[in-house]
Amino acid sequence: MTAANTGPGVVWITGAGSGIGRALALRYLRAGAIVAGTARRLETLESLPAEARGAGGRFHAFTADLTDLAATRAAVARIDAELGPIRLAVLNAGTHKPTPGTRFNADDVRMLLDSNVMTVANSLDAVLPGLLARRGGMVAINASLAGYGGLPSAAGYGASKAALINMAEALKLDLDGKGITVRLISPGFVRTPLTDRNPFPMPFLMDVDVAAERLWRALETGGDFEIIFPRRFAYILKAMRLLPYSLYFPLVRRFTGI
């Protein structure tokens, strides 16, 4: 079990312009937090304060291309200078694009690795020195249940999320005892603009506000290293990974209708 993540400090959420990141930012604002939201385009963040009107928190927008290490470091330096120390970094920025084997494109895979893996790596590079110096705080890396095993049309996306799962596991081993909590977020299908692109049925599809509420509770009250939702779908996929491929592939086809 990990300790609860309460107390003063800034909540930094990357990819706060849409999807889970946006819903989580709104939930933290309703809880009275100081939230620094990062996105590539300012217009995706501008309506957040109006949506959170009446909430007790304060929202501050920071635009940055997180695939650019220098820009990411500069954004974190601004947050520290203007708002104060970051207590929680939710590294959520990323994207999805189908990469079916029948139309495989290396440029699409490179884009997904840059958007999903390098944005997290750059964010860690920028935020970890401060957390280590203060010997306190939490880093939460948003991966996906798609990182557990191969899924149709997800050769690039799944590979990027599998990399994040491995990265989070390694960081936990390195940072335990240093005052920093590492959490892995593994959502299943959550209704967002990204999942709307999926060309197949999505079992246990969850509303984004429900997902954000579960994520907020898990981050703020402590719990296991991995935060999973919906749980039933996660446990099914975990069990499937223990099966031989002769059973795994037919089950995936049955679940996805491919």
Side-chain angles (χ1 to χ4, degrees):
M1 301 286 282
T2 58
N5 184 46
T6 56
V10 177
V11 177
W12 177 38
I13 301 175
T14 69
S18 65
I20 292 175
R22 186 182 192 85
L24 185 63
L26 289 168
R27 183 62 185 87
Y28 267 103
L29 289 171
R30 290 197 299 273
I34 301 171
V35 178
T38 305
R40 189 174 298 195
R41 301 187 310 278
L42 181 61
E43 60 267 24
T44 65
L45 300 171
E46 287 177 326
S47 64
L48 262 167
E51 288 184 47
R53 187 169 291 132
R58 293 185 289 135
F59 180 77
H60 302 264
F62 294 84
T63 56
D65 178 359
L66 299 182
T67 64
D68 183 321
L69 177 57
T72 308
R73 287 174 174 170
V76 169
R78 280 189 60 205
I79 293 169
D80 283 341
E82 297 176 18
L83 303 181
I86 294 169
R87 71 171 175 93
L88 167 63
V90 182
L91 307 183
N92 166 77
T95 191
H96 170 59
K97 184 175 183 179
T99 50
T102 53
R103 298 189 304 278
F104 193 86
N105 186 301
D107 287 335
D108 290 340
V109 176
R110 184 176 294 107
M111 180 276 292
L112 288 166
L113 292 174
D114 284 342
S115 297
N116 296 347
V117 179
M118 292 313 301
T119 56
V120 171
N122 290 342
S123 298
L124 289 165
D125 177 287
V127 78
L128 279 177
L131 298 181
L132 285 165
R134 295 188 292 274
R135 292 190 64 83
M138 181 184 292
V139 172
I141 295 174
N142 194 2
S144 169
L145 296 181
Y148 284 5
L151 294 173
S153 301
Y157 181 76
S160 71
K161 295 302 184 176
L164 291 180
I165 291 171
N166 190 290
M167 184 184 293
E169 292 170 347
L171 286 170
K172 176 174 171 53
L173 292 169
D174 289 340
L175 298 175
D176 273 354
K178 302 293 192 299
I180 300 171
T181 301
V182 178
R183 307 290 295 277
L184 170 65
I185 306 166
S186 298
F189 294 117
V190 177
R191 191 180 300 281
T192 70
L194 291 183
T195 55
D196 287 344
R197 303 178 188 177
N198 287 337
F200 52 81
M202 293 174 282
F204 304 101
L205 182 64
M206 179 180 285
D207 181 80
V208 69
D209 291 327
V210 175
E213 178 68 25
R214 293 191 185 181
L215 179 52
W216 174 79
R217 286 188 181 279
L219 291 171
E220 289 301 312
T221 61
D224 296 331
F225 163 68
E226 186 180 30
I227 303 168
I228 55 175
F229 51 88
R231 284 185 174 273
R232 279 192 298 168
F233 189 40
Y235 291 146
I236 289 170
L237 289 181
K238 284 178 180 290
M240 287 172 59
R241 288 309 301 159
L242 301 176
L243 298 174
Y245 284 123
S246 60
L247 296 176
Y248 174 78
F249 291 129
L251 280 172
V252 169
R253 292 191 177 99
R254 180 178 176 183
F255 265 114
T256 60
I258 298 298

